[in-house]
Amino acid sequence: MGKVTPDAGARTALISGVTGQDGSYLAELLLGKGYTVHGLVRRSSSFNTERIDHIYQDPHQPGGRSLVLHHADLSDGVALVNLLRELEPDEVYNLGAQSHVRVSFDAPLYTGEVTGLGTLRLLEAIRASGIDTRLYQASSSEMFGAAPPPQNERTPFHPRSPYGCAKVYAYWSTVNYREAYGMFAVNGILFNHESPRRGETFVTRKISRAVARIRAGLQDRLFLGNLNAVRDWGYAPEYVEAMWRMLQRDEPDDYVLATGVPASVRDFLRAAFEAGGLDWHEHVGFDANYERPSEVDALIGDAAKARDLLGWEPAVRWRELAELMVRADIEALDAELSGARVRIDR
Ligand SMILES: NC(=O)c1ccc[n+]([C@@H]2O[C@H](COP(=O)([O-])OP(=O)(O)OC[C@H]3O[C@@H](n4cnc5c(N)ncnc54)[C@H](OP(=O)(O)O)[C@@H]3O)[C@@H](O)[C@H]2O)c1
């Protein structure tokens, strides 16, 4: 393993996107290491903290709180400066984003505003507040887009979506602040990583949820777009560990995180349906609305640098991932249905 501080002590971290898939796993990881974790939550008319409810402590209860939530938004630069000045976190993880590639074609300016400019706002807020902190930027394999695989830190970017373009802007802004101001700012270039906490509109979760619902008789058909796209799918909890390791190095740098194992959407689909005892041919239909105007054919990462310098190697591969996601969705649905029956019985 690389130069990683073994005992984090009582450090503080600020996470944007704490309510998302990665944010929730990262918050758990950092709390486990003894950090005080501050999470940036955007205002919503309905509860959006489902993924972190199990680690949140009511401030009215006695005893210290180690997870503290703050309302703020990556579109509000002043709020970011004020928050950073107040908290002076040792580490900042910028995971907040409009993170859905297909949606970015429908909302390109908003995606640029939050995913691209939002990162610049955070960088500028760190500079303006004058605090000494380390920044992790959630960069993406979507930046590689049309560049042929395998992709690594030296592969030129060729994004194929507003999301990919916004992430490229954020990537270079992060590098620029490192070079211009000597900021400890790193890019983690992460290939797809999934989990039972993946948003329900992302293809892997859409599939695992559908398997559970079809088995339970709640749904019969699942509509998908391009099944030929090849991706490199890993397991999200393993990836957040590497985010933390990047910030424990002596020098800031950029790292690809990936399994290096390719699988098509069709492969994942087949494995997930098999895990649920179903044949996908009987249930899956095509809907052109789910296709991207410009597609990314194959993303397959080469994470040798992360292995050598961070001592990071993922264990979970796409097939196991499909199985664990299906299992989790079946269990969650069973619990929901039996809960519903209990309520009806009452
Ligand atoms: N998962 C992957 O495969 C992958 C791969 C490469 C890079 N990434 C990037 O890694 C980061 C984390 O991914 P994820 O899968 O955890 O994404 P996610 O589940 O979609 O979470 C995104 C987070 O960003 C928050 N957010 C959205 N707009 C915001 C705004 N205007 N201001 C502040 N926060 C905002 C969301 O809040 P709400 O909960 O209120 O919506 C949510 O907490 C993202 O930046 C994503 O683009 C992900």
Side-chain angles (χ1 to χ4, degrees):
M1 206 163 94
K3 291 175 187 168
V4 171
T5 313
D7 177 15
R11 283 186 282 171
T12 58
L14 173 66
I15 304 176
S16 79
V18 73
T19 55
Q21 170 189 258
D22 291 5
S24 64
Y25 285 121
L26 180 65
E28 278 173 14
L29 178 86
L30 296 180
L31 290 171
K33 290 182 185 296
Y35 279 66
T36 297
V37 176
H38 296 271
L40 193 155
V41 178
R42 62 180 178 151
R43 149 80 188 145
S44 159
S45 66
S46 50
F47 289 120
N48 58 352
T49 54
E50 194 188 349
R51 293 188 182 98
I52 50 171
D53 283 345
H54 63 292
I55 48 174
Y56 183 71
Q57 298 129 327
D58 185 335
H60 304 101
Q61 298 296 322
R65 283 188 302 157
S66 40
L67 174 63
V68 188
L69 302 180
H70 307 264
H71 271 128
D73 196 294
L74 286 166
S75 61
D76 185 343
V78 174
L80 296 177
V81 176
N82 288 339
L83 203 53
L84 287 164
R85 277 205 188 117
E86 180 196 331
L87 302 176
E88 295 186 33
D90 299 299
E91 297 168 9
V92 178
Y93 295 85
N94 184 32
L95 309 184
Q98 190 304 91
S99 66
H100 200 287
V101 177
R102 180 63 191 84
V103 170
S104 77
F105 287 98
D106 300 331
L109 293 176
Y110 176 74
T111 303
E113 186 65 50
V114 173
T115 305
L117 272 179
T119 304
L120 182 60
R121 278 192 201 92
L122 191 57
L123 285 160
E124 194 52 17
I126 291 172
R127 200 171 76 87
S129 61
I131 62 167
D132 183 16
T133 191
R134 296 181 168 207
L135 174 76
Y136 171 87
Q137 165 57 18
S139 284
S140 165
S141 57
E142 287 288 332
M143 301 189 304
F144 296 124
Q151 296 98 353
N152 64 21
E153 296 82 0
R154 295 177 303 283
T155 305
F157 300 137
H158 183 158
R160 297 267 287 167
S161 64
Y163 170 79
C165 293
K167 284 290 185 186
V168 170
Y169 180 82
Y171 170 94
W172 282 115
S173 298
T174 302
V175 172
N176 181 236
Y177 272 60
R178 183 163 81 210
E179 294 174 354
Y181 305 116
M183 203 178 274
F184 194 111
V186 311
N187 283 290
I189 307 173
L190 272 54
F191 283 62
N192 288 60
H193 46 283
E194 322 290 314
S195 74
R197 294 187 198 168
R198 187 61 144 149
E200 286 92 345
T201 59
F202 290 87
V203 69
T204 51
R205 185 71 199 291
K206 199 172 153 180
I207 292 170
S208 64
R209 249 184 117 233
V211 169
R213 290 174 57 81
I214 291 169
R215 281 177 93 254
L218 297 175
Q219 173 179 340
D220 185 46
R221 304 285 290 160
L222 166 67
F223 288 94
L224 297 172
N226 179 13
L227 301 187
N228 297 321
V230 170
R231 293 292 183 268
D232 176 332
W233 280 296
Y235 184 41
E238 297 186 326
Y239 285 54
V240 300
E241 163 72 28
M243 294 177 188
W244 175 78
R245 290 190 190 188
M246 287 179 210
L247 292 195
Q248 314 313 309
R249 298 278 300 167
D250 290 340
E251 298 296 331
D253 206 344
D254 307 316
Y255 303 88
V256 159
L257 300 184
T259 67
V261 181
S264 67
V265 174
R266 186 178 290 98
D267 292 332
F268 191 96
L269 182 64
R270 186 183 301 114
F273 270 71
E274 279 173 11
L278 299 169
D279 180 354
W280 71 271
H281 296 95
E282 292 171 12
H283 300 280
V284 176
F286 171 73
D287 184 341
N289 286 318
Y290 297 125
E291 284 196 315
R292 302 175 183 182
S294 45
E295 181 55 275
V296 169
D297 293 333
L299 295 173
I300 308 163
D302 161 16
K305 182 175 171 183
R307 185 193 59 222
D308 295 346
L309 299 182
L310 303 176
W312 180 82
E313 257 183 295
V316 177
R317 302 286 183 262
W318 65 271
R319 189 181 297 278
E320 189 184 341
L321 183 65
E323 289 165 1
L324 77 83
M325 287 177 70
V326 165
R327 226 174 14 251
D329 270 318
I330 289 173
E331 282 169 17
L333 188 60
D334 283 351
E336 195 186 316
L337 292 175
S338 61
R341 268 200 295 276
V342 169
R343 276 197 297 276
I344 290 164
D345 291 350
R346 278 181 194 160

